[in-house]
Structures are given as C-alpha cells and as structure tokens.
Amino acid sequence: MELEKKNFELLPDAHKNWQNRPEWFFNRAHTDTYELWYEGRYKRAEVWQKKVMEQLVSKDKRIKTLLEFGCGTTRFTRWWKEIGIKATGGDISPLMLSQAIHLFDGDLVMADSHHMPFKDRTFDSLAFITTFEYYKDPVKVIRESARVAKYGIAMGMMNRNSPKVLRRRVQQLFGKNPFYVTATFYTPAMLIAIIDEALQGREYTIEWSCTGLPKWFPVQQWSVPYGDFFGLYVKLNDVR
C-alpha cells in the first residue's frame, strides 16, 4: 500500500496571501533573513530610528505598556523595555512569529491589525514600526488603534520624501527588492490627513521628526519632512 504524502509546511501555499495579494512576510525565503538585515547594512539606520521613537514616545509620561502591531521578529518590540515600556507583540505572519517566540520574552499574538483581539483601552499605547505602509485600509487600522490604546499611537515608517523610494522602485522592476512591492509610502502630511479622518471627534496632538539622512549630512534628525524615515506620535488628550 502506498502512503499519501502530506505537506507539513508552516504556511501552506493557499495561505500566503493577505488583503487579496501576496506579501513578502508570508515568504520564508525573506522572513528567515529578516534579522540579518538589521545586523548588516541597516544597523546605523536602526540606531537613529530608535532615537527618534524614544524622543517622541518618552515625552508622554503616561505610557507604561505598549502593543506593537506588525512586530515581525520583534526587533523593535524587544527594545521598548530599554526605555521603561512593557511591550506586547502582534503580527499576522506565522513565519515572523515563529522566530519571535525564540527572541522575545513577552506576550505575542497572531492577528490582523484591522481586527485587534483586545478590549478597549487594553494598552497605554500602540505602535507601528515600518509596517503601517502595508495596510489597504489605514483609516480602519488607526480607529482600531485608538480603541485598543488609551493614551497614544506611535508610528515609524519609510518616508515618501526620500530619494531611496525611487531607488527601491527601480530595484523592483529588476526583481531585486521584494519588500516594498505592496507598500504605500507616506509623507508626514499625508499620514496626518489620514489620522485626521480616522480620529474625527477625538482630541489629540501630533508630533513628528525625520531621520535617515545621508551620513555626510550635517544633521541626522530634523523637523523637515525629508529623510528616509520619520517617526510620528499621536497623543490622545481626551482621556483620564
């Protein structure tokens, strides 16, 4: 008798799409090398990104707990405790989370950020670090964030106002860069317009800062909307 062969892949081919399109974070060829990216050419950029996010979030002294959605392998999620914030990670990719469980000693959840499986105001803050670019319904995600987070929403993302955006698109034409094929790049002004639409009726303030400037540039962070990365913090002021 011949036994039927079974495929026991962590993620079957039928489940490699999200939002009706294929995404790189459902492809093991890319997720297995994700941490190496930060340990190599991206290391300096990561240092400045964390500086920007720390400055923005630490100003809100109410923030003690945080949920980071799109946490991936928890590269940033592991870092929040260094600035005194207890973090929880959430991601929709089982491939990313299969690495995260070995790297992160906190709680993790596999879920879609459009439908967060948490009660209202479960966390002090919610964060998106280089993941918000992939949401097809960003207004819905922000509204979910404002429901689950009590005091604020932190965002760090690739800036549309960067010469690297053009380089990435050219690379994609030659099949060299699969990571931003489905990404939507925003400027601070574009993102603020989406936030304003999502949070109508709420009282909040917004602060942002850019980094990701050339190494030879005289400053590495400024309040001008140019640079490869910008951090933005929405402080919710209508809560007690």
Side-chain angles (χ1 to χ4, degrees), residues 25 34 38 44 81-82 99 135 163 180 188:
F25 39 83
Y34 186 76
Y38 281 96
R44 177 176 169 274
K81 67 179 180 181
E82 295 182 19
Q99 297 182 64
Y135 300 137
Y180 301 107

Side-chain angles (χ1 to χ4, degrees), residues 20-238:
N20 298 316
R21 64 192 187 189
E23 301 284 4
W24 69 266
F25 39 83
F26 288 132
N27 186 326
R28 194 156 196 167
H30 304 315
T31 59
D32 281 359
T33 58
Y34 186 76
E35 283 283 322
L36 297 177
W37 179 260
Y38 281 96
E39 291 300 332
R41 58 189 293 186
Y42 207 59
K43 187 66 178 178
R44 177 176 169 274
E46 179 189 25
V47 170
W48 278 98
Q49 290 172 12
K50 288 178 176 177
K51 286 182 180 181
V52 167
M53 298 311 302
E54 179 179 4
Q55 290 169 13
L56 292 170
V57 178
S58 293
K59 288 182 180 180
D60 192 342
K61 302 303 181 183
R62 303 172 298 175
I63 307 303
K64 305 299 180 184
T65 63
L66 176 147
L67 169 64
E68 183 182 334
F69 241 100
C71 67
T73 59
T74 66
R75 187 74 189 190
F76 257 81
T77 323
R78 305 193 298 267
W79 166 77
W80 291 108
K81 67 179 180 181
E82 295 182 19
I83 61 172
I85 297 174
K86 181 181 179 182
T88 296
D91 203 287
I92 198 169
S93 170
L95 300 179
M96 286 293 205
L97 290 174
S98 68
Q99 297 182 64
I101 59 175
H102 301 291
L103 299 169
F104 182 56
D105 60 2
D107 295 328
L108 295 167
V109 61
M110 187 169 73
D112 188 329
S113 52
H114 298 78
H115 309 280
M116 299 181 187
F118 296 100
K119 295 180 180 179
D120 295 358
R121 299 184 178 183
T122 299
F123 300 92
D124 293 336
S125 182
L126 206 141
F128 302 98
I129 307 298
T130 62
T131 187
F132 194 82
E133 298 93 325
Y134 297 96
Y135 300 137
K136 291 182 72 174
D137 192 345
V139 170
K140 185 173 184 178
V141 173
I142 291 172
R143 286 174 178 163
E144 269 291 88
S145 304
R147 179 186 67 80
V148 174
K150 185 175 183 180
Y151 298 125
I153 305 169
M155 299 180 176
M157 63 184 64
M158 300 297 104
N159 188 5
R160 189 181 182 93
N161 288 338
S162 169
K164 292 183 180 180
V165 171
L166 176 60
R167 186 185 70 185
R168 291 174 186 132
R169 294 311 188 198
V170 172
Q171 289 173 337
Q172 289 166 20
L173 292 175
F174 293 92
K176 298 293 186 180
N177 188 337
F179 301 105
Y180 301 107
V181 172
T182 58
T184 298
F185 295 106
Y186 300 97
T187 64
M190 292 170 64
L191 182 59
I192 289 171
I194 293 172
I195 294 168
D196 288 342
E197 178 183 352
L199 299 184
Q200 290 183 32
R202 297 293 305 268
E203 296 178 14
Y204 57 92
T205 53
I206 294 175
E207 185 178 357
W208 59 267
S209 183
C210 281
T211 186
L213 296 152
K215 190 174 182 179
W216 49 263
F217 205 68
V219 297
Q220 291 301 303
Q221 179 185 344
W222 60 1
S223 297
V224 178
Y226 295 96
D228 192 46
F229 177 94
F230 71 90
L232 181 147
Y233 184 68
V234 182
K235 183 179 181 181
L236 301 172
N237 299 319
D238 53 358

